[in-house]
Amino acid sequence: MNFFKKLFNIPIKEDKEIQKQEVDLSLDDLFVHNFVEKGGKFLYCIEESEILNNLNNILQENSWNQITLLSKDLSSYFDEKQVKVSTDFVADVPVFLNCEHLIADNGNILFSSNQLKSIKLCNMPSNFIVFAKTSQLVKNMGQGLTGIKIHYKGNLPTNISAIKNYGADKNEDNFLNYGNSNSKNLYLLLLEDL
C-alpha cells in the first residue's frame, strides 16, 4: 500500500480523510437508514390518528380501492365507505398487516404465520402496507427470533420469513432464493410507542 502512495504521490493526511468513517447509529436510525436504502417507503407516526391519515394517503396515491386484511385488529384503521376491505387473500390486491419485528442491522421486516397465515411471502401480492411499533425494533435476526420464541412460549408460529427487498421489481440474484422472490413494494407505518 505504501508503494502506491509513493507512486501516485498521495499525502498521508489526505489518505486518512479518504478512509471510510463509521458512525454509531441508534437502533431506530439504523433500521430506517437500511430500510430506505433498500427502497422502502417509511412513514413515522406519533399518534394513531396519523396512521389513519397516512393510510388514506397511500390508498389515494396508488389508486387502490380494495385492500386485504389478514388481521382483524387492524380493521379499525379503515373506513369501509372509502375502500373495500377483504379478509380473504386475493393475489393482486394490496395487503395491510402487522409484523413480528423490524431488524435494524439490515432493514428487513420479520413475519410469521400469525401475520401471513399459511401463505408464503413469494405468493403474496407485490404491494404491502405494514403497521409496526417502535417497540418491535431489534438489533439483528437472532434477537428477532429470540423475541418470537419468548413471546409465543409453548406455541411457536411457523412460516417465519422476512421481506428483504422493497421494490417489486428487485430480485436478489442468489441461488438460494431462485424462484422464491420476496421483493415487495412496501410502505411501513411506524407508530412511536416508547
Side-chain angles (χ1 to χ4, degrees):
M1 182 110 150
N2 286 335
F3 171 75
F4 288 110
K5 289 179 191 175
K6 290 178 183 177
L7 180 66
F8 293 111
N9 203 15
I10 299 174
I12 295 172
K13 183 179 179 183
E14 185 180 322
D15 182 50
K16 289 181 181 178
E17 293 173 358
I18 294 173
Q19 293 177 351
K20 185 178 178 182
Q21 295 179 354
E22 290 195 27
V23 178
D24 288 331
L25 296 174
S26 65
L27 206 58
D28 52 346
D29 287 337
L30 181 61
F31 172 77
V32 171
H33 172 77
N34 290 329
F35 178 79
V36 171
E37 192 172 272
K38 289 181 168 188
K41 298 164 191 84
F42 173 76
L43 298 161
Y44 184 78
C45 306
I46 296 174
E47 299 175 355
E48 291 213 16
S49 61
E50 291 180 63
I51 294 169
L52 184 59
N53 186 35
N54 286 327
L55 193 54
N56 287 330
N57 290 339
I58 292 169
L59 295 172
Q60 287 176 357
E61 175 186 321
N62 292 289
S63 302
W64 293 335
N65 55 9
Q66 184 177 358
I67 196 145
T68 301
L69 283 179
L70 297 178
S71 176
K72 292 178 185 175
D73 62 332
L74 296 174
S75 62
S76 63
Y77 293 112
F78 286 99
D79 179 5
E80 293 198 27
K81 295 174 189 170
Q82 282 187 310
V83 65
K84 181 180 175 188
V85 176
S86 171
T87 56
D88 296 325
F89 172 70
V90 181
D92 59 345
V93 174
V95 176
F96 181 54
L97 71 166
N98 45 22
C99 66
E100 292 292 344
H101 291 288
L102 305 172
I103 312 298
D105 71 349
N106 57 18
N108 293 350
I109 299 179
L110 188 63
F111 297 97
S112 75
S113 57
N114 293 328
Q115 294 85 35
L116 303 174
K117 311 300 180 209
S118 62
I119 305 163
K120 292 182 180 180
L121 269 175
C122 62
N123 296 332
M124 296 291 275
S126 59
N127 296 307
F128 263 56
I129 304 171
V130 176
F131 170 73
K133 297 179 179 178
T134 53
S135 60
Q136 292 174 278
L137 282 163
V138 293
K139 184 176 181 180
N140 55 36
M141 187 66 79
Q143 287 183 356
L145 294 173
T146 301
I148 290 174
K149 186 177 178 181
I150 292 168
H151 188 260
Y152 299 105
K153 201 172 208 173
N155 190 21
L156 289 176
T158 57
N159 195 16
I160 296 172
S161 52
I163 296 180
K164 300 176 182 178
N165 293 318
Y166 306 116
D169 57 342
K170 291 183 180 179
N171 282 323
E172 200 171 293
D173 290 333
N174 183 337
F175 75 95
L176 295 174
N177 294 332
Y178 181 74
N180 197 20
S181 173
N182 66 4
S183 297
K184 304 295 177 192
N185 176 33
L186 195 133
Y187 291 86
L188 175 64
L189 299 171
L190 185 63
L191 178 65
E192 175 68 53
D193 70 338
L194 295 175

